[in-house]
Amino acid sequence: MSDANSPSVPSSASRRDFLKNSTAAVVGGSLAATLVAPAAVHAAGSDVLKVGLIGCGGRGMGAAVNAMNAEENVKLTVLADAFPDQIKHARDVLSKQIGARFAVDNEHCFDGFDAYKKVMASDVDVVLLCTPPHFRPAQLRAAIEAGKHVFCEKPVAVDGPGVRHVLESSRLAKEKKLSLVSGLCWRYDLGVRETIQRIQDGAIGDIVAIQENYLTGTLWHRGRQPNWSEMEYQMRNWLYFTWLSGDHIVEQHIHSLDKAVWLNGDKAPVRCFGLGGRQVRTDKQWGNAYDHFAVCYEWDNNVKCFSYTRQMSDCGNDVDDYILGSKGQAALLRHTIKGASDWRYRGPKPSMYDVEHKELFAGIRSGNIINNGEYMSHSTLMAIMGREACYTGQTITSEQMLNSPVVLGPEKYEFGDIKIPEIAMPGITKFA
Ligand SMILES: NC(=O)c1ccc[n+]([C@@H]2O[C@H](COP(=O)([O-])OP(=O)(O)OC[C@H]3O[C@@H](n4cnc5c(N)ncnc54)[C@H](O)[C@@H]3O)[C@@H](O)[C@H]2O)c1
């Protein structure tokens, strides 16, 4: 592994290659060429499933533990991260936490921008994609092409070309009978599942409107070390740079927006407008991220979703999904329905993060593969179009957003100087 503090080897990963692939995905010309022989699609009941983790941060380590909790016959064998210190930390933590099932030797720790390619070349059956969202489209495509089953954290992209790329990868996964489980974890919460099932069965009549609240406090900031290049600084503090995180409407509020997509047949809304800005996090340490967004979304059947997200300290917080129907109302995270008769979910509440992995492994073993590709792409699209509506002050349609040619981020992945992104100004910033 290279030195944690001077990751100076330029990456061979070129942004142009990505652009090219993404454009091909739109016209649909390259898919057949990328299809290779069907993968070994499932392991027999007794086979040990080998897991590789890409992105050894907080969620990545959590996902590795969830994978081990899900099944006895699973081992963690490969770790990859852009930064060697992150791998070292993950080795220390995970070797203690998962004991004998931590089976990662020195030869299977990979760092750098291309580390994920080495994971794909290894003999793992399953990969956990847990880097900042910007890198997801390329890593997901590489995993599917290499015949790996995937657990894929949310969001899955930060721009239109990224969403298109992921939609293509999802179709490819279906063709190759590879599982693709999304980290949109509320889909795996038994209480939310049953509440939504009852709404879909008519418990509150027709859905008229949805209110999504993700009103919460601030998250971490990792400071700046004198030996970090601007690229390293932005990657270490990826939450605050739109090209890496998508901004917090995409990175965090997607959990809420995904439930609105779920209630609308897994479809993205057709248009939206919104308001947003940065009122408290104005210092340059906060990159170009906003600290609040309010967006009104609309589907083609006139259902509306009013969504609010704020990351500020010392304000009133609320995170829930309020569904207004023609015959009642529901609150999804409270698991309550007030309709012709009142109901509250009182069933079992296993960890939704463990359930994600239990269902992933059960699907791989039985051959009943799971593919969450479409909804995770549509929820990401919904979040990105909301961001662009607020950044520009314009109404944005899902079609415009999906067909946008704009790829966020630097042309090349290498540690050195990169542009400090501009802060969007409604009415001045243009949608492209
Ligand atoms: N489902 C959930 O509840 C949930 C909760 C938290 C985070 N997340 C998602 O998980 C992802 C990771 O978040 P986190 O909180 O673990 O962040 P983190 O910063 O703690 O970890 C990210 C890791 O990825 C590494 N990384 C960055 N670029 C990389 C690259 N190109 N290749 C390999 N490694 C790279 C970083 O060095 C870091 O170790 C994000 O998409 C986030 O939105 C989901």
Side-chain angles (χ1 to χ4, degrees):
M1 290 193 294
S2 53
D3 178 357
N5 295 323
S6 56
S8 56
V9 183
S11 161
S12 63
S14 155
R15 303 288 294 138
R16 275 187 212 290
D17 290 348
F18 174 82
L19 259 170
K20 219 165 42 192
N21 289 344
S22 154
T23 309
V26 187
V27 295
S30 69
L31 187 57
T34 59
L35 287 174
V36 294
V41 290
H42 61 93
S46 60
D47 291 351
V48 172
L49 287 170
K50 293 183 188 157
V51 175
L53 169 61
I54 303 173
C56 300
R59 182 77 271 274
M61 288 190 285
V65 172
N66 299 131
M68 301 302 126
N69 290 345
E71 226 206 77
E72 276 299 315
N73 234 356
V74 172
K75 283 199 294 199
L76 184 67
T77 60
V78 181
L79 293 177
D81 198 282
F83 299 109
D85 61 304
Q86 290 293 100
I87 297 180
K88 184 181 178 313
H89 179 63
R91 287 183 85 166
D92 293 346
V93 171
L94 291 173
S95 57
K96 291 190 189 92
Q97 250 180 308
I98 62 181
R101 288 192 292 149
F102 182 84
V104 185
D105 57 29
N106 287 341
E107 285 64 50
H108 291 90
C109 290
F110 305 116
D111 65 274
F113 287 111
D114 286 343
Y116 73 97
K117 294 183 182 166
K118 297 175 187 149
V119 181
M120 305 317 170
S122 77
D123 67 349
V124 295
D125 305 286
V126 178
V127 291
L128 313 177
L129 303 184
C130 301
T131 66
H134 171 87
F135 300 104
R136 203 91 69 238
Q139 296 186 354
L140 175 61
R141 177 63 60 91
I144 301 301
E145 285 182 351
K148 311 298 183 194
H149 299 283
V150 176
F151 169 75
C152 177
E153 259 309 339
K154 46 50 62 172
V156 296
V158 295
D159 48 32
V163 175
R164 297 198 299 267
H165 208 255
V166 169
L167 280 165
E168 284 283 351
S169 299
S170 158
R171 285 195 278 274
L172 192 57
K174 272 188 199 156
E175 302 241 15
K176 296 181 77 171
K177 300 192 170 31
L178 294 166
S179 284
L180 174 50
V181 165
S182 158
L184 285 163
C185 43
W186 292 105
R187 298 258 184 171
Y188 290 84
D189 178 273
L190 303 193
V192 171
R193 268 188 185 169
E194 188 168 341
T195 312
I196 287 202
Q197 186 60 56
R198 282 171 181 258
I199 294 170
Q200 288 174 334
D201 290 344
I204 59 168
D206 295 330
I207 296 173
V208 178
I210 298 169
Q211 181 186 332
E212 292 292 0
N213 285 8
Y214 212 117
L215 306 173
T216 186
T218 53
L219 299 174
W220 49 258
H221 190 287
R222 292 170 176 153
R224 185 192 282 273
Q225 299 295 323
N227 55 339
W228 286 354
S229 63
E230 182 61 27
M231 178 70 161
E232 179 162 2
Y233 172 75
Q234 293 190 16
M235 283 182 61
R236 298 272 189 186
N237 290 293
W238 61 269
L239 285 176
Y240 308 106
F241 295 92
T242 305
W243 73 270
L244 283 159
S245 68
D247 210 331
H248 72 97
I249 186 173
V250 181
E251 196 280 323
Q252 187 175 55
H253 194 35
I254 190 171
H255 280 300
S256 322
L257 303 178
D258 177 57
K259 296 191 212 82
V261 165
W262 191 354
L263 286 162
N264 282 284
D266 288 336
K267 289 200 212 116
V270 288
R271 71 183 69 82
C272 67
F273 69 89
L275 328 169
R278 41 195 272 156
Q279 207 166 1
V280 177
R281 291 195 303 213
T282 52
D283 190 88
K284 66 175 194 275
Q285 70 166 311
W286 306 113
N288 66 332
Y290 278 13
D291 56 18
H292 63 283
F293 293 89
V295 185
C296 174
Y297 293 97
E298 198 177 327
W299 278 263
D300 48 13
N301 60 0
N302 297 325
V303 168
K304 291 197 178 188
C305 170
F306 306 96
S307 90
Y308 307 92
T309 184
R310 177 178 63 205
Q311 289 184 344
M312 286 184 199
S313 307
D314 303 320
C315 297
N317 291 342
D318 181 52
V319 179
D320 210 335
D321 321 86
Y322 303 98
I323 321 304
L324 313 179
S326 56
K327 294 182 183 160
Q329 299 189 7
L332 295 183
L333 297 191
R334 289 174 176 79
H335 313 328
T336 55
I337 290 180
K338 291 190 187 310
S341 58
D342 291 355
W343 173 86
R344 169 184 222 114
Y345 178 77
R346 296 185 193 280
K349 284 283 291 174
S351 153
M352 57 188 173
Y353 300 105
D354 285 351
V355 174
E356 287 170 340
H357 293 270
K358 279 195 169 106
E359 296 191 9
L360 168 66
F361 294 133
I364 294 170
R365 294 212 185 271
S366 66
N368 295 321
I369 60 138
I370 298 175
N371 187 303
N372 299 155
E374 202 153 312
Y375 74 66
M376 71 190 194
S377 304
H378 289 167
S379 300
T380 301
L381 178 64
M382 179 176 181
I384 292 172
M385 66 194 265
R387 177 194 72 211
E388 291 300 312
C390 296
Y391 277 6
T392 60
Q394 306 297 329
T395 292
I396 303 291
T397 67
S398 46
E399 205 170 315
Q400 268 177 307
M401 193 68 247
L402 191 60
N403 290 312
S404 160
V406 174
V407 176
L408 300 183
E411 189 66 21
K412 279 200 166 186
Y413 300 129
E414 55 192 21
F415 290 102
D417 255 4
I418 56 164
K419 201 174 137 222
I420 300 174
E422 276 172 30
I423 298 161
M425 282 290 160
I428 297 171
T429 300
K430 301 287 176 226
F431 181 79

